[in-house]
Amino acid sequence: MLRIPRPLPCPALGAWLVILLLGAASVARADGDIAAARKLWLTGKYAEAQEAFEKLKPTEPVAAAIGIARCQASTGHDAAAAKTVGSALETHRDDADLHALAAQLALDRGDSATADREASAAFAVRADHLLARWVQAERLRLSGKLDEAKAAYEWFVDYYNGHDVEQADDLVIIGRGAAQFARWERLSDQFTFLINELYPAAIEADADYWPAHYEAGLLFLEKYNEPEAARELKAALRINGSAAEVHAALARLALQNYELDDARRQAKQALEINPRQLDALRALADSHLANFETAEAITLLERARKIDPTSEETLGRLAAAYAVVDGHGDTGADTRFAKLADEAIACNPHCGSFYSAVGAAFDLTRKYPSSARNYQVAIERMPQLVDPYGALGLLHMRLGEETEAARLLKQSFEIDPFNVRVNNSLKVLEVLDGYAVLETDHFVIKFDRGKDELLARYAARYLEDEVYPLLTKKFGFEPKDKSLFEFFNRAKNTGGHGWFSARMVGLPYIGTVGACAGKMVAMASPESMPQPFNWARVLKHEFVHVLNLQQSNFNIPHWFTEALAVESEGYPRPQSWNEMLARRVPQQKTFNLDTINLGFVRPRSGEDWQMAYCQAQLYAQYMLRTYGDDALAKMLACYADNLDTRAALKRSFNVAQEDFERGYTAFVHNTIAAMSIEKEKPADAAMSFAELVRAHAEKPDDLDLAARLAEEYVGRKSYAEARKLAEMVLKKREHDPQATVVLARVRLVIGDDAEAMELLKGVVDLKRPDAKSIALLAALELKAQHYQRAAELYETAARTWPDDAQWTKSLARLYLKTGDNKSLAKVLERLADADADDFVIRKKLAYMALDAKDYAGAARWATDALHVNVVDGDVHRLLGESLVGQKRYRDAIDEYKTAVELDAKQPAWRWALADACLQAGDTAQARTALKQLLELHPKYPGASLLLESLDEESSR
């Protein structure tokens, strides 16, 4: 048996395969001119190559015709290529290479009758013609004659084992055929031979033979080994930068990472070279499906269908796209989906590739249940396929059906142990096997018992008591089944975020800490992350996705479910988003409804990702403000009815998308205008120091330039130059804030704080204070311990710029320093609202509320603090004490117990636990708590006496 692994499921065989016509015999008889022309073709110089082959017609008519046809096919002129070969056959009827090439060209355009006829004609001349054998094997597969097809693929193995094969062309076509046989026979161990020996041998035989790199790249691409796939495909491009097939493969590689812009760029580059390149057309269509642009995908797929009307890869995608647009899903008779399915079955009753393509297209559009159903049909129609097993297993993972996922993924791994996503997902299941399960009325929670039991307990309580009743009422929908939530912590030398990422996509990194696939939610444990985050906020956000995806039958676009989720969180827009809006909107660096999904699935930067979330929320807020409180519900109902965004806007608000966008844009500009933050300076504010110096020299009377240059000089410690320019500005424009701050900073350098303060007071006392001057003066007043004056300044700034948190933070520091707890509490509450992840502020507020005997407030802030850090024993103690203050003794007991579990060395907490038990009338539990206290602290004041009295009471 030839040790050859299986390659990825065959895409449409591109025009490059015609190279295989020049088998060993053809190459052997080629003279130097043929070799030179062939090299031009291999290196992508198609026009020069065709011209060179034209010159060879008188002496080498067959080789010339083959070469010309190859050049024509490489640039999408397949009809011309077929004509070239047909003309040559008129005078060379007995040439097997010409017949085989004619068969291949016919196969590529779905002309099965011609492909069969020409392959048979090639066999009549040479029974072992490799390309003709390949065409025959493919025709058997595509017509559903699977046993005969398997034998035809096995023929390549036998041929290789019985012959001394040296030509690069021959090695690659043998690799394809034998690899297909290895795939069907589950000979996955042959992968390494193909990658490490056969394809390198082809390159060694012909250094310009880029198809060997291409084939290796496709194998790695199938197995999600992205680095190696990129390496091989780029090696192919270094030889032939005009290989349309390679650009198409790179587009597919980009799609694996949802790098949609790069995928489109590569696909379009392929189509510029060869407008009829099927893989490129399908990749471009996939990029539109992934961005919910189904109509655009249909246009491309219908174009691909005209090139090859029988391609299952094309028809499957097109059927799914029709189903998405028509709203009938993948069920129902007399639909466009059903008609294409019937057409595929008529051509091939074992059309597994058709249903696999359907499943992949539904997966791209997040129609996960439909995707799963069609992958299952693909397996039933053609069990020999490999990809559907792993793809279906991964879908069951996303749908929370882990038992079925495990079965399929194990089966997939046995078939193909090199698939990175399958391998990673099986490792995730191994981790989950060791997890504990907490089940409530509406949720199933899986967690690491040794690390996240407390998180699971409090998450379950939060989800059941707060999130579920609030959100199901808000959206008018309850899931039929319990929702699965999984928390991932560090295991097997991999962090929680790595396991979370592998759980969702089978690959090592996702940019979020939580994600939802419609029926399940995964989250990285806060304990495993370097920075704290509000896990309760994440759970609430993700449960919105659970509801919206299910109630819309997975039809809701990404941007709208994120809009609903962010809006449901209940927090104000963060200052960082305000600053981002104020900067990017004037620069027109924004998304619209046609592009915003890209900001989620493949942002170009972290800020693009944040911008997508920010704009999604603004879209929701614009709808509410413009079209009423039921605006979001109307849109949601439209998506549930399978409308796209354009149609949803029309039905919900009777507005065209273009008009809606104009109104939204005005809303965003008004939002920015109303923001009380310092807006970014004009574009020339970004001038470098050298540019400022030149600009000032050219315009010495421009006071704005002079003031800005003075500020630069201060920053560079060039105080004399700074002072000179600042004084010049102030002489001509009294009370200029920027120049005044410069002079004040110069005074501070020489220790003249009093003069600096006097200078600044003249600016700050104006009706419209400058942020830098007020900040500097307030800092000086604080330094001088003029606390009341500093407070007045910071409060003035906070009123002037309420959306800028720096003033609130400054006030917090001042009130903390002066002990003004009443004022401190107010500003800390504002800071807490602005930052959901700030644990320290929440804990401080709980302390302050408890000190003020505001037990309800203390409980609120302590609970909020636990939503960021659930393993802080002191916060549990604070919560317990606040609950005692509200006479909620049973709840308090639970909190004190948790506090003691987290820190057993705190005797006061055990004493408080015993007291809460007594208040609740639970003397038995009080006695237990006292005994445990005395075991650790035998002399704890009052513990022995209280225990004795309880013992006496119990003995009566």
Side-chain angles (χ1 to χ4, degrees), residues 537-557:
R537 182 186 191 183
V538 173
L539 296 185
K540 188 176 185 182
H541 180 108
E542 299 304 332
F543 190 61
V544 173
H545 295 330
V546 171
L547 298 177
N548 295 160
L549 284 166
Q550 290 188 44
Q551 72 185 124
S552 68
N553 195 28
F554 290 80
N555 288 325
I556 187 171

Side-chain angles (χ1 to χ4, degrees), residues 336-366:
R336 289 197 289 178
F337 178 93
K339 289 176 181 177
L340 279 183
D342 290 343
E343 183 179 324
I345 294 168
C347 289
N348 176 8
H350 298 286
C351 55
S353 295
F354 169 84
Y355 283 101
S356 184
V358 171
F362 276 135
D363 193 353
L364 281 173
T365 55
R366 303 206 302 173

Side-chain angles (χ1 to χ4, degrees), residues 448-663:
D448 185 324
R449 186 181 295 281
K451 297 174 182 176
D452 286 324
E453 184 170 3
L454 197 58
L455 171 65
R457 216 163 73 207
Y458 278 77
R461 182 191 304 172
Y462 174 67
L463 287 168
E464 279 291 354
D465 296 348
E466 298 185 45
V467 172
Y468 190 89
L470 174 70
L471 293 181
T472 54
K473 181 180 179 181
K474 176 178 180 177
F475 291 107
F477 177 82
E478 294 189 51
K480 181 179 69 173
D481 302 314
K482 293 183 179 182
S483 301
L484 175 63
F485 280 68
E486 294 174 346
F487 303 135
F488 289 91
N489 211 312
R490 185 170 187 82
K492 300 182 180 181
N493 297 318
T494 298
H497 191 269
W499 288 116
F500 151 71
S501 299
R503 172 63 180 85
M504 295 310 299
V505 297
L507 296 173
Y509 186 76
I510 300 177
T512 63
V513 294
C516 169
K519 293 186 177 181
M520 62 79 56
V521 171
M523 188 181 82
S525 168
E527 188 272 334
S528 71
M529 297 297 291
Q531 297 295 327
F533 66 90
N534 191 315
W535 53 264
R537 182 186 191 183
V538 173
L539 296 185
K540 188 176 185 182
H541 180 108
E542 299 304 332
F543 190 61
V544 173
H545 295 330
V546 171
L547 298 177
N548 295 160
L549 284 166
Q550 290 188 44
Q551 72 185 124
S552 68
N553 195 28
F554 290 80
N555 288 325
I556 187 171
H558 201 142
W559 74 268
F560 193 62
T561 189
E562 294 297 354
L564 296 176
V566 175
E567 188 68 5
S568 296
E569 289 176 12
Y571 286 91
R573 191 170 51 248
Q575 182 180 333
S576 60
W577 286 12
N578 287 336
E579 293 171 350
M580 179 176 63
L581 282 169
R583 182 179 70 258
R584 290 183 56 142
V585 169
Q587 298 171 348
Q588 297 184 332
K589 294 181 178 180
T590 58
F591 297 107
N592 58 35
L593 289 176
D594 291 328
T595 62
I596 190 169
N597 286 315
L598 293 175
F600 296 109
V601 298
R602 183 47 60 184
R604 294 179 179 176
S605 65
E607 187 173 89
D608 267 3
W609 186 60
Q610 292 290 337
M611 190 71 178
Y613 277 100
C614 177
Q615 282 196 246
Q617 184 183 26
L618 284 169
Y619 272 118
Q621 291 173 347
Y622 171 64
M623 290 179 190
L624 290 169
R625 178 169 297 187
T626 307
Y627 301 108
D629 293 341
D630 61 347
L632 302 182
K634 286 181 178 178
M635 288 290 289
L636 193 53
C638 289
Y639 290 127
D641 288 343
N642 205 58
L643 273 64
D644 62 14
T645 295
R646 182 175 292 276
L649 291 170
K650 189 67 176 176
R651 191 179 90 176
S652 297
F653 315 130
N654 194 29
V655 62
Q657 182 171 318
E658 292 76 13
D659 294 331
F660 176 86
E661 292 278 30
R662 279 191 286 273

Side-chain angles (χ1 to χ4, degrees), residues 152-473:
Y153 292 130
E154 188 178 13
W155 180 90
F156 290 98
V157 177
D158 296 336
Y159 183 89
Y160 180 84
N161 290 334
H163 295 77
D164 186 13
V165 184
E166 296 180 351
Q167 296 299 321
D169 317 64
D170 296 343
L171 287 169
V172 167
I173 199 168
I174 286 170
R176 269 187 174 267
Q180 186 77 303
F181 174 73
R183 179 190 300 122
W184 286 19
E185 289 296 289
R186 308 318 195 206
L187 304 175
S188 60
D189 61 321
Q190 303 303 304
F191 171 70
T192 51
F193 175 84
L194 195 60
I195 289 296
N196 295 328
E197 296 186 40
L198 189 136
Y199 289 138
I203 293 295
E204 186 175 352
D206 185 346
D208 293 325
Y209 200 69
W210 60 266
H213 286 298
Y214 169 69
E215 289 295 327
L218 291 182
L219 283 170
F220 283 121
L221 186 62
E222 175 196 318
K223 287 138 193 11
Y224 294 90
N225 187 334
E226 294 167 2
E228 291 299 318
R231 185 177 66 82
E232 291 289 351
L233 294 173
K234 289 176 181 177
L237 276 190
R238 283 195 293 272
I239 298 170
N240 181 0
S242 296
E245 300 80 2
V246 180
H247 287 292
L250 284 169
R252 293 170 59 197
L253 176 62
L255 280 168
Q256 284 189 357
N257 275 324
Y258 272 83
E259 293 172 346
L260 302 189
D261 284 347
D262 191 41
R264 291 178 182 182
R265 180 181 62 80
Q266 291 286 359
K268 288 176 180 177
Q269 193 163 350
L271 292 170
E272 287 176 5
I273 299 165
N274 180 354
R276 296 169 65 82
Q277 218 295 316
L278 287 174
D279 277 345
L281 284 168
R282 289 191 288 256
L284 193 55
D286 286 348
S287 76
H288 287 291
L289 288 173
N291 197 36
F292 302 93
E293 298 165 344
T294 315
E296 291 86 341
I298 287 173
T299 298
L300 289 161
L301 292 168
E302 289 177 341
R303 175 177 157 192
R305 187 184 184 188
K306 291 177 181 177
I307 297 170
D308 179 359
T310 66
S311 168
E312 293 181 21
E313 289 285 340
T314 299
L315 294 179
R317 285 171 169 83
L318 185 57
Y322 283 158
V324 170
V325 170
D326 296 344
H328 301 295
D330 53 327
T331 58
D334 200 30
T335 63
R336 289 197 289 178
F337 178 93
K339 289 176 181 177
L340 279 183
D342 290 343
E343 183 179 324
I345 294 168
C347 289
N348 176 8
H350 298 286
C351 55
S353 295
F354 169 84
Y355 283 101
S356 184
V358 171
F362 276 135
D363 193 353
L364 281 173
T365 55
R366 303 206 302 173
K367 307 294 188 293
Y368 300 136
S370 295
S371 178
R373 283 193 296 272
N374 283 279
Y375 276 130
Q376 183 61 49
V377 176
I379 292 170
E380 293 166 0
R381 290 272 175 184
M382 190 175 176
Q384 293 89 341
L385 292 175
V386 175
D387 278 5
Y389 293 91
L392 182 56
L394 291 167
L395 273 168
H396 280 296
M397 287 287 281
R398 291 183 203 160
L399 294 171
E401 298 158 355
E402 289 169 353
T403 300
E404 182 63 9
R407 182 185 71 81
L408 285 159
L409 290 170
K410 287 175 184 176
Q411 193 172 357
S412 177
F413 183 77
E414 291 170 2
I415 295 169
D416 179 13
F418 299 101
N419 188 306
V420 173
R421 293 179 72 190
V422 169
N423 197 7
N424 286 341
S425 297
L426 284 170
K427 291 176 181 176
V428 169
L429 288 171
E430 287 178 13
V431 170
L432 286 170
D433 280 344
Y435 274 12
V437 178
L438 191 163
E439 192 163 351
T440 70
D441 290 343
H442 301 103
F443 299 94
V444 175
I445 298 174
K446 295 187 177 183
F447 59 96
D448 185 324
R449 186 181 295 281
K451 297 174 182 176
D452 286 324
E453 184 170 3
L454 197 58
L455 171 65
R457 216 163 73 207
Y458 278 77
R461 182 191 304 172
Y462 174 67
L463 287 168
E464 279 291 354
D465 296 348
E466 298 185 45
V467 172
Y468 190 89
L470 174 70
L471 293 181
T472 54
K473 181 180 179 181

